[in-house]
Amino acid sequence: MKDMAIGDVRNFALVGHTGSGKTTLLDALLYKLGVNDRQGNPGEGTSMADWTDEEKARKISIWAKPFDGTWRPKGGKAVRLVMLDTPGYADFFGQVVAATRVSDAALLAVDATSGVQVGTIRAWKQLESLGLPRGIVITGLDKENADFAGTLAAVQEHWGDKCQPVTIPTDGNKGVKSVLGEPDDKLKELAAESSDELLEKFFADEPLTAEELATGLRASVLQGKFVPVFAMMAKQGLGLDELLDGVAKLLPSPLDRPGTDAEGNVVNPAADAPFVAQVWRNVNDPFVGQMTIARVWGGTLKADAEVFNSTKDQKERAGTIYLLKGKTQDTAPEASAGDVIALAKLKVTTLNDTLCAPGTSVKMSEITFPKPVCFFAVTPKNQGDEDKLGQGLRRVADDDPTIHVERNDETHELIISGVGDVQIAVAMERMKARSKVEVTLSTPKVAYKETVTAKGEGHYKHKKQSGGRGQYGEVYLRIQPKPEGQEEWFMDEIVGTSIPRNFLPAIQKGLQEAMQRGAVAGYPVEDTMIAVYDGSYHEVDSSEIAFKIAARGAFKDGMMKCKPVLREPIMTLRVTIPNEFMGACQGDLTHKRGRILGMETEEGMQVLIAEVPQAEVFSYSSELRSMTGGRGSFTMEFARYDIVPSNVAQKIIAEAAKNRHDEEEE
Ligand SMILES: Nc1nc2c(ncn2[C@@H]2O[C@H](COP(=O)(O)OP(=O)(O)OP(=O)(O)O)[C@@H](O)[C@H]2O)c(=O)[nH]1
Ligand SMILES: [Mg+2]
């Protein structure tokens, strides 16, 4: 921003477990900073941040949202704040990933009655992975049974005594005061740890000057050696001044943590450097309209300037620069490092693109989002809505990079996938509200395949005489597993003229049709080789159609003699769980026909690596969550196709027979 030096900008994300009071704190801050003329409350649907219908209905945050404010400390220099509220609910972790990638620092909320929770640890890990400087806010100190000392102890137990309070509750949690003015030895030591020079002084028992303390503490936060802890009673407005002072004094500015591009080059954050910004969110909302949200890493963007989208290799016009304010927006004449801005109606720009000054071509490295682990088949409730559905789904997937929509060509289903079932339910509500399409979600079908495991022969004679010209064709063939690496699936082994060569294409066509719906349960047949070696024809009655039918019949006959099997997709799962769930989790995977391939430990957690049939894991994300109280997580990827055990195959075959019967009834 024009009137504020970049060194005076503080850009940070609020992260933590769901319900830990992040949005409540943000609403209190917005009121304190004069951004809102009253204090919003997410629990009552009056929050400035949790304003969407889905957020109000569920009383949780769903999207990461930027807010701007200016803090004028008593007697100090004003700082410009860019604050990103993020959701704590696990399904929306993609938002945390994006927000933390474009922040200079984070404040981790820890509720003083619940302590360190699953979501607290998940968020901390994310900050660790980015090396993001951070503070901790112990929230909800006004609540009955709130325990500042106990919560601080839990925090230190997890992350060490580099977590030290800089504000503490007073008067039996009726007030908050800062201890930065009279730091204890531990804070002095943490300040000294920022440089060899200060450390020498500290160990020589020489007092650090106030200036040295201040710069030392700030440097230690930046280096990750010090995590300031703040006491907070946001609902009462207590602890806010002290927190904001702490943010101004201790958290880094965009100058301290310049971005690096995909090639590892540092992006110059100076206002007069070439402009660089990174798109981290896309909003398509009836209220806000179509908005592209970007973080500026360097240079200055002026409203309506031309920019270069280096990812798409195309020009864009920035248009008006918006600063989002929940449901509404302010506009800004220009933006510089640390700013999070929204641009409307960009033509080619999408999530993860880099915008830069014309004539330059910087690319920031892409944000990697969590992979989908939760899958549903989507069908419209009204049959005529197919087109609207496709468009509606595309829109929700545009806004949420962790939602994917794909048609499965084998099962002919439209599959929506994401991080969790609540996320997908929310996406469907949004689609209903925006595109007026209602859908049914169901467990996806498995794309089974059929194949043969032995050699065998098949025969069919198609002969029809019903007045006029008859139909005649006879085919003998041999079916066998196709050797690996072999391309050709069809062999012509006909000797003599038992079948004239001109009927071969029709025979091949008939076989291909037959293989699309195999003889076991109607699934496509793969990896088989067919040799046609004999047959007979009739001068008048033989035709292409007659041989097609004969080929189909011979294939069906032959396939059943070749020990046919069903094959199913097998997934590799990496399940990360606390030790105490090992037994239960292993038992459950075995029950799901899984095979444990190995175990590892990772950051104090157990990792189970297993191969499990896809049919068993469509709802594993919610099952694992309830089994581990949300403490387990997993990734999943396709491994290969494997033979379905015969007891399981029986059920699939019976189900397929029933469906075929139903189809015929209709
Ligand atoms: N008494 C009291 N209640 C609080 C405080 N902070 C939050 N709450 C209540 O706790 C509930 C959840 O608070 P939020 O601020 O929405 O929590 P959050 O961390 O934003 O949760 P997610 O958005 O789901 O990640 C709300 O009903 C709040 O009113 C607090 O400091 N004191
Ligand atoms: Mg929230």
Side-chain angles (χ1 to χ4, degrees), residues 426-496:
V426 166
M428 295 304 91
E429 283 169 30
R430 273 162 50 224
M431 186 170 70
K432 183 179 163 190
R434 265 192 288 176
S435 310
K436 311 275 175 277
V437 193
E438 279 193 75
V439 296
T440 313
L441 295 178
S442 54
T443 306
K445 287 182 193 148
V446 179
Y448 292 107
K449 303 257 164 82
E450 299 185 10
T451 195
V452 299
T453 60
K455 210 184 235 186
E457 291 180 346
H459 165 236
Y460 193 81
K461 187 197 274 188
H462 179 61
K463 187 177 177 185
K464 243 186 183 162
Q465 206 68 54
S466 49
R469 191 178 149 190
Q471 291 184 37
Y472 187 90
E474 183 177 28
V475 171
Y476 284 89
L477 49 70
R478 195 171 55 245
I479 305 175
Q480 65 188 83
K482 190 165 77 177
E484 211 171 309
Q486 181 177 315
E487 283 283 312
E488 196 48 59
W489 63 275
F490 180 78
M491 316 265 166
D492 166 12
E493 293 183 7
I494 301 164
V495 257

Side-chain angles (χ1 to χ4, degrees), residues 17-24 41-43 50 59-61 86-89 139-140 142-143 234-235:
H17 191 81
T18 182
S20 59
K22 299 177 290 298
T23 306
T24 301
N41 181 338
D50 288 358
K59 295 193 167 62
I60 57 169
S61 306
T86 71
Y89 198 83
T139 54
D142 60 304
K143 293 183 190 172
K235 281 202 162 175

Side-chain angles (χ1 to χ4, degrees), residues 43-318:
E44 288 164 8
T46 57
S47 165
M48 200 175 202
D50 288 358
W51 63 269
T52 66
D53 289 343
E54 298 80 30
E55 289 171 317
K56 280 190 191 165
R58 288 182 165 77
K59 295 193 167 62
I60 57 169
S61 306
I62 288 174
W63 304 102
K65 299 190 198 81
F67 288 88
D68 293 77
T70 304
W71 172 235
R72 301 176 201 286
K74 277 185 213 93
K77 228 177 12 164
V79 288
R80 171 173 156 69
L81 301 167
V82 178
M83 304 166 282
L84 275 69
D85 187 29
T86 71
Y89 198 83
D91 289 24
F92 307 106
F93 193 62
Q95 295 290 308
V96 181
V97 171
T100 49
R101 265 291 297 275
V102 298
S103 299
D104 294 329
L107 291 177
L108 175 68
V110 184
D111 178 76
T113 59
S114 321
V116 173
Q117 295 169 279
V118 194
T120 327
I121 295 170
R122 186 167 49 233
W124 178 277
K125 279 191 181 161
Q126 171 65 14
L127 305 180
E128 278 292 286
S129 74
L130 298 168
L132 207 60
R134 75 209 72 155
I136 288 174
V137 184
I138 297 186
T139 54
L141 284 166
D142 60 304
K143 293 183 190 172
E144 219 178 304
N145 302 324
D147 179 4
F148 183 78
T151 309
L152 177 64
V155 161
Q156 289 176 335
E157 195 183 309
H158 275 87
W159 301 303
D161 63 1
K162 66 178 176 192
C163 305
Q164 283 296 323
V166 295
T167 77
I168 53 170
T170 58
D171 313 324
N173 295 353
K174 294 275 184 307
V176 171
K177 73 163 193 187
S178 168
V179 298
L180 277 175
E182 47 209 278
D184 59 11
D185 281 345
K186 186 66 203 170
L187 276 183
K188 287 178 189 160
E189 186 186 334
L190 287 169
E193 275 181 17
S194 63
S195 76
D196 290 346
E197 191 191 331
L198 290 186
L199 209 55
E200 262 172 47
K201 240 179 141 177
F202 178 77
F203 284 119
D205 270 340
E206 283 177 47
L208 305 184
T209 66
E211 169 88 32
E212 282 169 338
L213 261 171
T215 51
L217 284 174
R218 186 146 186 267
S220 284
V221 172
L222 181 65
Q223 294 164 19
K225 291 175 181 160
F226 169 37
V227 177
V229 178
F230 300 89
M232 185 56 58
M233 286 159 253
K235 281 202 162 175
Q236 288 66 28
L238 297 171
L240 297 169
D241 293 63
E242 294 78 6
L243 173 71
L244 289 167
D245 283 348
V247 164
K249 284 185 184 141
L250 298 169
L251 294 195
S253 83
L255 298 180
D256 301 312
R257 267 184 66 83
T260 41
D261 69 10
E263 285 162 9
N265 304 313
V266 172
V267 176
N268 185 350
D272 55 3
F275 169 70
V276 180
Q278 178 181 18
V279 176
W280 62 278
R281 246 201 90 186
N282 185 50
V283 183
N284 198 329
D285 185 275
F287 264 103
V288 178
Q290 159 70 51
M291 289 273 192
T292 305
I293 310 182
R295 140 99 200 210
V296 182
W297 286 106
T300 301
L301 175 71
K302 295 213 185 315
D304 212 32
E306 184 175 277
V307 291
F308 179 65
N309 180 330
S310 55
T311 314
K312 300 271 162 50
D313 203 11
Q314 286 191 56
K315 286 179 198 161
E316 282 273 22
R317 186 154 294 279

Side-chain angles (χ1 to χ4, degrees), residues 507-569:
I507 291 177
Q508 284 193 23
K509 194 121 202 288
L511 292 174
Q512 272 165 337
E513 279 174 17
M515 287 195 291
Q516 256 152 45
R517 296 195 69 158
V520 181
Y523 292 101
V525 180
E526 281 198 343
D527 297 333
T528 53
M529 194 166 84
I530 305 162
V532 174
Y533 64 87
D534 206 356
S536 65
Y537 78 108
H538 183 277
E539 283 291 351
V540 180
D541 291 348
S542 277
S543 64
E544 290 189 354
I545 185 87
F547 270 107
K548 217 162 104 174
I549 293 168
R552 276 206 305 250
F555 178 81
K556 277 201 174 152
D557 175 49
M559 186 165 173
M560 294 321 282
K561 295 173 186 160
C562 298
K563 301 212 174 89
V565 288
L566 279 177
R567 292 204 296 200
E568 62 182 339

